[in-house]
Amino acid sequence: MSTTAVKPRVATVWLDGCSGCHMSFLDMDERLLILADKVDVVCSPVVDPKDFPENVDLCLVEGAVSSDHDVEKAHLIRARTKFVISLGDCAVTGNVPSMRNTFGRTAVLDTVYIENATIRKQIPREVIPKLLKFSKPVHELVKVDAFLPGCPPSADTIFYALQELVAGRIPQFDPTPRFGA
Ligand code: SF4
């Protein structure tokens, strides 16, 4: 009788990001097929999820935490995932979403919904998640187990990291910035 090895359950999630990190994930191209042999992608924008599932082994989180909805999702992900990875500079440092932090929430909302609006000049109070005062990196809210820097991290970086993690190792990155390498 043959036995089937249980594959790690992998999720990818998108908080306040531009989707560029997920585009990089897709840029792994044919290597996605190699990964598909090794993991089950149980939740991701690329597989049309409805709810974040229980018992996830590995979750890549793109984007900063910028709204009450992001806070809720980050806590849910942490509670249901063994190993959480910040994917890309927005998740790792706040990066682009945190550029608004120096202006204040009110000024940002006014600029977007009043000054630059051509019709219906009003700040939405329903449906749109409430903005936090500051955009934050994910680890300021929940424990993060590994960081994949880059804007976005390259497909090579993501593939390397996933292979290492699936093999039970923590991916190691050179922290020294290299320009023109
Ligand atoms: S790190 Fe860069 S590519 Fe990734 S979500 Fe942020 S801005 Fe987009």
Side-chain angles (χ1 to χ4, degrees):
M1 190 174 75
S2 68
T3 54
T4 309
V6 177
K7 295 178 185 176
R9 289 162 56 79
V10 172
T12 78
V13 174
W14 178 356
L15 302 179
D16 189 8
C18 73
S19 86
C21 291
H22 273 82
M23 294 301 112
S24 217
F25 182 89
L26 292 177
D27 272 349
M28 285 191 284
D29 296 329
E30 69 277 7
R31 288 173 292 183
L32 288 167
L33 298 176
I34 298 171
L35 282 174
D37 274 344
K38 297 183 176 177
V39 304
D40 277 335
V41 179
V42 291
C43 180
S44 168
V46 299
V47 295
D48 189 25
K50 298 297 178 240
D51 297 305
F52 193 83
E54 306 264 4
N55 300 320
V56 173
D57 293 303
L58 213 64
C59 181
L60 298 169
V61 182
E62 172 190 318
V65 178
S66 298
S67 68
D68 56 357
H69 189 225
D70 294 338
V71 170
E72 204 178 297
K73 268 166 96 178
H75 282 299
L76 185 70
I77 291 160
R78 181 67 272 179
R80 295 183 173 182
T81 307
K82 288 194 193 112
F83 206 89
V84 174
I85 303 124
S86 279
L87 173 67
D89 286 348
C90 293
V92 174
T93 69
N95 196 30
V96 175
S98 67
M99 287 177 184
R100 72 160 166 99
N101 290 352
T102 50
F103 301 104
R105 183 173 45 193
T106 306
V108 169
L109 291 172
D110 281 349
T111 303
V112 171
Y113 290 107
I114 309 246
E115 286 168 34
N116 290 333
T118 48
I119 54 167
R120 294 191 193 137
K121 292 176 181 263
Q122 62 179 33
I123 295 171
R125 305 282 175 208
E126 294 173 3
V127 181
I128 306 289
K130 187 168 179 248
L131 272 191
L132 302 181
K133 191 168 179 191
F134 300 115
S135 233
K136 307 171 190 182
V138 176
H139 66 272
E140 283 195 15
L141 199 81
V142 296
K143 178 173 172 277
V144 168
D145 302 296
F147 298 86
L148 264 66
C151 181
S154 68
D156 290 347
T157 300
I158 299 171
F159 185 65
Y160 159 73
L162 283 173
Q163 280 201 308
E164 289 294 284
L165 289 162
V166 167
R169 297 184 291 266
I170 306 286
Q172 302 297 320
F173 297 103
D174 179 357
T176 311
R178 280 174 291 177
F179 300 102

